[in-house]
Amino acid sequence: MTTLDPRPRARTQQSPSGRGTSGRAPSGRSPSGRGPSGSVGPATGSSAVGLTGRGAAGVGAAGPAPEVSWVPRPLRRWTDALDTPVTSFVLVSSATGLLLVFGLLMVLSSSSVESYATAGNPWAIAGRQIMFAAIGLPLLLVAARLPVLWWKRLAWPALFGALFLQCLVFVPGLGFEVNGNRNWIRLAGFTAQPSEAIKLALVVWAAAVLARKRDLLGSLAHVLVPVVLPVGAIALGLVLAGHDLGTALVILLTLAGLLFAAGTPLRYFVLGGGVALAGVAALVLQEQHRVTRIQAWLSGQQCTDIYGECWQPVHGMWALASGGWWGLGLGASREKWAWLPEAHNDFIFAIVGEELGLPGTLSVLLLFVALAVGMVRVAQRTVDPFVAIATTGVMVWVLGQALINIGVVIGVLPVVGVPLPLVSSGGSSLVVTMVALGMVMSFARAEPGAREALGTSARAARSGAAVVADVRLPRARVSPARPRR
């Protein structure tokens, strides 16, 4: 007689060789995936468990584990819906467009008084800014369509071209000074600031170089040559020869961001930071007006030279204070009536706070945050080191310059002549920044699935417009009149 064993028998599992196993876990592991020490792990001892609870093969011995998400469950549906292949492109393009339109509006508002006083036309300064925006827009669209390979090919020509233009500022008849800085050239009736082009050229060129030698950056010699020495030093030397310390600081910050994104060890940044601070201190001590600005900044509210070096920062703070919570209204600024110098340029953020209040200033900050999130996504989602390094360089350049400008206006930093990207008046800065962000848009379009999704949206928009154009309103049916009986 056959007796039934009440204990459940282990299922026979099929091995890859086609032979069954006895159901016992190999190498002392139980079928549940627990080892002798009681720790939970996958069935294979060499697989590592990540945050998702999955091993290297993706599935443990007990089956696929649920993924771990740090987003609260009510918000997870919205974050999943926003995480699409075109999210990076939409963030960068939308933030760029909104900042551009907002900047044109604020340049018109903040410069109308000065334009009328100097040219008899309240649209004089704003008209030039609109003209440069019209020049930069097609360049942005072309940059957004260029493949990544073309940006790599443009690295060396862009570098040599930018350095050559910067050398022209020292040619008599071409270069001229503005507020003590000789960083401007005049060609065919147009004025330009070549140091702005150096920022973009350095980003593209350094990204191409560092992407090739990223495995050698553990050596200090490879870190310095050729990005820092000689190219970076030449670029900084040409800009500093024109006495433009603000632009030089932005270029130095951009170079640091490029090296960081390439994977340079942090110990070299400690050494480089000390050298940079010593160099900046030496440059400040060479010019008396820079020393006076530092002293005025350190004195804070106790500054006594209110009609000298303290005039601009004090009136910038007064503009923010008079705006209060909700602002005085668009166009109602008092400080732009010849009280605040450079109201449409370096201190335009103060006019934003005065006219639009806290909502206006927070809107500007949120747009820059959206721009940063989009660029971080582009840098993280790419597999091309050139794209990651170049995107990080543009992000450090644009956001670092914005933080410096806003920090000067609110009194956190001493007065440094750098504009607010996409918002302040200045044609060279506007056009070059638009081209740089167009390059980031081209990188965002290269993300997996982004080009197809954008093409599908464009085709859907065209087909929708065609359907609307083909719609014919039905004719009203008029019944013939019946004769009266």
Side-chain angles (χ1 to χ4, degrees), residues 155-203:
W156 285 97
L159 178 67
F160 287 128
L163 293 178
F164 173 74
L165 290 176
Q166 184 63 28
C167 292
L168 293 181
V169 302
F170 306 106
V171 177
L174 290 178
F176 62 98
E177 292 187 7
V178 175
N179 296 329
N181 295 337
R182 191 179 180 86
N183 272 329
W184 296 83
I185 58 175
R186 184 180 287 108
L187 292 173
F190 288 93
T191 60
Q193 191 175 5
S195 57
E196 294 292 334
I198 287 183
K199 300 175 185 176
L200 178 58
L202 274 179
V203 166

Side-chain angles (χ1 to χ4, degrees), residues 386-467:
F386 168 80
V387 173
I389 298 171
T391 304
T392 305
V394 175
M395 180 180 64
V396 173
W397 156 24
V398 175
L399 297 181
Q401 184 169 318
L403 290 177
I404 293 175
N405 178 276
I406 296 173
V408 168
V409 173
I410 64 177
V412 176
L413 297 174
V415 176
V416 180
V418 294
L420 186 61
L422 298 174
V423 180
S424 293
S425 174
S428 302
S429 175
L430 179 65
V431 172
V432 174
T433 305
M434 291 176 68
V435 174
L437 293 174
M439 179 181 68
V440 177
M441 293 179 198
S442 72
F443 298 159
R445 293 180 73 251
E447 288 187 9
R451 197 178 302 274
E452 293 78 6
L454 291 172
T456 303
S457 302
R459 287 192 297 269
R462 287 194 296 267
S463 62
V467 169

Side-chain angles (χ1 to χ4, degrees), residues 16-343:
S17 62
R19 299 180 181 180
T21 60
S22 62
R24 291 176 299 193
S27 65
R29 292 185 178 268
S30 64
S32 62
R34 296 183 180 270
S37 60
S39 59
V40 180
T44 57
S46 60
S47 301
V49 180
L51 290 176
T52 60
R54 298 184 178 186
V59 181
E67 294 187 0
V68 177
S69 176
W70 304 107
V71 181
R73 187 177 297 274
L75 300 178
R76 200 173 302 168
R77 183 173 57 136
W78 299 99
T79 56
D80 293 342
L82 293 176
D83 190 13
T84 65
V86 297
T87 300
S88 304
F89 180 84
V90 171
L91 284 173
V92 175
S93 59
S94 300
T96 301
L98 290 174
L99 282 170
L100 176 62
V101 174
F102 182 79
L104 294 176
L105 181 64
M106 290 309 304
V107 167
L108 173 61
S109 176
S110 59
S111 66
S112 57
V113 174
E114 182 177 346
S115 297
Y116 188 79
T118 56
N121 179 13
W123 286 81
I125 297 177
R128 288 199 302 268
Q129 189 74 358
I130 294 174
M131 179 191 67
F132 282 112
I135 295 174
L137 185 58
L139 295 178
L140 181 148
L141 296 177
V142 171
R145 289 283 181 174
L146 280 182
V148 177
L149 180 61
W150 275 96
W151 287 109
K152 296 179 181 179
R153 292 175 177 174
L154 290 173
W156 285 97
L159 178 67
F160 287 128
L163 293 178
F164 173 74
L165 290 176
Q166 184 63 28
C167 292
L168 293 181
V169 302
F170 306 106
V171 177
L174 290 178
F176 62 98
E177 292 187 7
V178 175
N179 296 329
N181 295 337
R182 191 179 180 86
N183 272 329
W184 296 83
I185 58 175
R186 184 180 287 108
L187 292 173
F190 288 93
T191 60
Q193 191 175 5
S195 57
E196 294 292 334
I198 287 183
K199 300 175 185 176
L200 178 58
L202 274 179
V203 166
V204 178
W205 175 82
V209 172
L210 292 174
R212 292 184 177 182
K213 58 184 305 185
R214 63 188 184 278
D215 295 332
L216 305 174
L217 295 179
S219 170
L220 181 60
H222 286 285
V223 172
L224 294 177
V225 180
V227 175
V228 180
L229 297 173
V231 175
I234 292 174
L236 288 172
L238 290 174
V239 174
L240 289 173
H243 306 286
D244 192 353
L245 181 59
T247 302
L249 290 176
V250 175
I251 292 176
L252 188 63
L253 185 64
T254 304
L255 285 175
L258 290 166
L259 291 171
F260 178 80
T264 303
L266 294 179
R267 63 180 181 273
Y268 295 144
F269 287 98
V270 177
L271 176 63
V275 174
L277 288 176
V280 171
L283 291 172
V284 169
L285 294 176
Q286 287 180 357
E287 300 287 343
Q288 182 58 37
H289 73 278
R290 294 172 182 168
V291 176
T292 308
R293 285 183 177 182
I294 297 294
Q295 292 175 347
W297 170 63
L298 293 175
S299 61
Q301 300 296 328
Q302 287 75 33
C303 182
T304 57
D305 189 15
I306 193 171
Y307 295 103
E309 291 296 335
C310 296
W311 179 273
Q312 191 175 26
V314 165
H315 279 273
M317 294 295 293
W318 287 355
L320 292 172
S322 61
W325 287 97
W326 307 108
L328 302 177
L330 187 63
S333 169
R334 303 187 186 102
E335 291 292 336
K336 69 182 180 182
W337 289 82
W339 291 105
L340 178 61
E342 302 294 337

Side-chain angles (χ1 to χ4, degrees), residues 361-374:
T361 55
L362 288 181
S363 298
V364 173
L365 294 177
L366 289 177
L367 287 175
F368 278 112
V369 169
L371 193 62
V373 172

